[in-house]
Amino acid sequence: MTHLDRSADARGTGAQGPAETKPADFDEVSRLVKAAGLMDQQPVYYVYKIAFNLLLLTAAWALFAWIGDSWWQLATAVLLAFCFAQTDLLGHDAGHRQIFRTRKASDVIGYFHGNLLTGVSFGWWVGHHTRHHNYPNHLSLDPDITRRQVIFASEHRAKRTGPAGRFIVRHQAWMFYVLIMMEGLRLHLSGYVAARKGALKRYKATDLGLLSLHLVCYFAAVFWVLPPGKAVAFIVVHQALFGFYMGLLFAPNHKGLPVRDGAKEELDWITRQVVTSRNLLPSRITHFFYGGLNYQIEHHLFPSMPRRNLHRAQPLIKDYCLGHGLPYLEVRLMRSYLDVADYLGDVSQEVRDLEQQDSVLARAHR
């Protein structure tokens, strides 16, 4: 089964390359990128980025301790949600070996930023995210698709049979943005769930130990400074906004773009990365807040490219894609979220139509 005809590029500002062109070749574009020095490491940039982020995170926790017992701590929760997401973006870069090329050094950065500082299992995330990069928008093989409560094809409505599941599917155009507020909680639990399922293949004890240390220190700090009522309010706001920000970081990248299904992957590497990815139009704001994920096409083609080089790679890769008959979709920030909502709403309407047909057939057979 394939859904490649369902695409958001008709609603965005993407362009289509010429019909009669030489097929795209990943080895060819890879040589162009390497010749331009775009795969070169950026140690100075990452020293600055890590130091600045640690300073910001430390300042946020210091502010929390200084404010003390006050409802102003809800503002601190907003700041810490931003800091947590930015910290996990550095863990994301480490997982792709953008910072260091060796596994050991990348693991040190990843476990420090993920497990210890934010309570997100780096070991779980690397495996999960690698599968996503291999099979983006594949309905059965992409874990970023399979773990969602919303569905991306009406054929999957049978997987949501409970009252809550059916409600979500019927209203998923807006429920998607409500559900991502739970993403922080799900990220915190993912490491423990992965360990129970045997999915943590390396450093299991270290992974779970650092996760648990983070959670103990987090709850101890919050309940030491704040009385129970304010502590719970702080945690709810902080974790909901952390999850919301993380959801917003990843939602524009692939959601609402062509999906496919089946036991085998029918698309070659470069095609599956480009046709399932959406860029946000470049700006300093999107580059800062999205940590380079706004250049999703470039990132998916070259995951180990340091984030600082993505904006330099963008015009080269765009020209290559359009010159070889591949679509290249880039839209404004808000347009990307509207496209996601439109797509999910279309799936909801298809489900409602199918349910109505089933109801008519059921009455006819009585």
Side-chain angles (χ1 to χ4, degrees):
M1 178 178 65
T2 182
H3 301 263
L4 288 175
D5 57 332
R6 186 205 296 278
S7 176
D9 55 2
R11 297 193 296 270
T13 58
Q16 177 68 44
E20 298 295 333
T21 55
K22 177 185 175 183
D25 180 0
F26 180 72
D27 289 338
E28 181 182 16
V29 71
S30 182
R31 286 193 293 271
L32 294 174
V33 164
K34 290 178 180 178
L38 297 171
M39 298 303 295
D40 294 348
Q41 291 179 269
Q42 295 288 332
V44 175
Y45 168 78
Y46 274 113
V47 166
Y48 155 76
K49 195 68 181 175
I50 291 172
F52 176 80
N53 186 76
L54 288 175
L55 180 63
L56 184 63
L57 185 62
T58 302
W61 279 117
L63 181 64
F64 173 81
W66 179 74
I67 291 176
D69 182 2
S70 169
W71 284 108
W72 282 106
Q73 292 287 20
L74 297 185
T76 312
V78 177
L79 174 60
L80 275 167
F82 171 78
C83 292
F84 268 45
Q86 287 289 312
T87 301
D88 278 326
L89 282 172
L90 284 167
H92 169 270
D93 291 2
H96 283 300
R97 302 193 189 181
Q98 296 179 21
I99 304 173
F100 296 105
R101 295 305 187 206
T102 63
R103 171 182 279 189
K104 184 174 291 187
S106 298
D107 283 346
V108 170
I109 296 294
Y111 283 104
F112 177 70
H113 285 82
N115 296 59
L116 187 61
L117 295 184
T118 64
V120 178
S121 169
F122 182 71
W124 161 80
W125 179 86
V126 167
H128 174 97
H129 200 61
T130 298
R131 293 194 303 276
H132 160 69
H133 268 262
N134 288 337
Y135 304 104
N137 271 20
H138 193 289
L139 293 172
S140 302
L141 301 176
D142 181 356
D144 276 354
I145 291 283
T146 57
R147 77 186 189 96
R148 299 294 171 191
Q149 292 91 350
V150 299
I151 61 172
F152 297 88
S154 57
E155 294 88 342
H156 285 201
R157 63 193 174 106
K159 298 181 179 181
R160 304 291 184 268
T161 55
R166 290 197 300 270
F167 177 85
I168 290 171
V169 169
R170 290 193 192 104
H171 305 281
Q172 62 181 20
W174 60 269
M175 277 296 296
F176 175 79
Y177 292 103
V178 175
L179 292 169
I180 60 176
M181 287 191 286
M182 298 290 293
E183 188 67 10
L185 175 61
R186 298 182 73 197
L187 289 172
H188 292 314
L189 294 175
S190 293
Y192 296 104
V193 173
R196 181 173 60 83
K197 293 181 177 179
L200 286 183
K201 303 300 183 182
R202 300 184 306 121
Y203 311 131
K204 179 179 176 180
T206 300
D207 200 314
L208 297 182
L210 291 174
L211 278 182
S212 300
L213 178 61
H214 168 85
L215 291 176
V216 168
C217 292
Y218 176 83
F219 284 112
V222 172
F223 282 95
W224 180 268
V225 172
L226 297 174
K230 290 177 183 173
V232 170
F234 173 90
I235 292 169
V236 169
V237 172
H238 175 220
Q239 296 301 325
L241 291 181
F242 168 51
F244 190 67
Y245 186 10
M246 292 294 285
L248 291 182
L249 284 174
F250 291 95
N253 302 341
H254 309 282
K255 306 298 184 287
L257 289 175
V259 297
R260 62 209 180 281
D261 207 351
K264 294 184 178 180
E265 175 60 72
E266 70 271 25
L267 299 180
D268 63 89
W269 174 264
I270 189 169
T271 303
R272 85 178 74 153
Q273 305 304 332
V274 174
V275 303
T276 62
S277 299
R278 175 197 290 112
N279 275 18
L280 302 179
L281 286 171
S283 74
R284 290 185 178 180
I285 293 176
T286 54
H287 188 73
F288 177 73
F289 281 94
Y290 286 79
L293 297 180
N294 46 308
Y295 297 106
Q296 191 65 197
I297 296 172
E298 288 73 26
H299 171 61
H300 254 255
L301 285 174
F302 299 98
S304 61
M305 180 183 293
R307 110 171 46 161
R308 191 185 187 191
N309 292 343
L310 292 170
H311 76 282
R312 294 172 51 208
Q314 192 264 343
L316 185 156
I317 292 175
K318 180 178 181 179
D319 288 346
Y320 184 88
C321 289
L322 296 180
H324 290 76
L326 286 173
Y328 188 97
L329 181 63
E330 51 183 351
V331 301
R332 295 186 183 279
L333 177 61
M334 289 309 299
R335 180 72 260 169
S336 70
Y337 294 120
L338 291 173
D339 283 348
V340 173
D342 288 347
Y343 179 93
L344 293 174
D346 289 345
V347 175
S348 292
Q349 185 59 54
E350 290 178 11
V351 169
R352 286 191 289 269
D353 291 343
L354 289 170
E355 289 176 343
Q356 187 174 10
Q357 292 174 21
D358 291 344
S359 179
V360 171
L361 289 172
R363 288 197 299 269
H365 285 85
R366 287 176 185 172

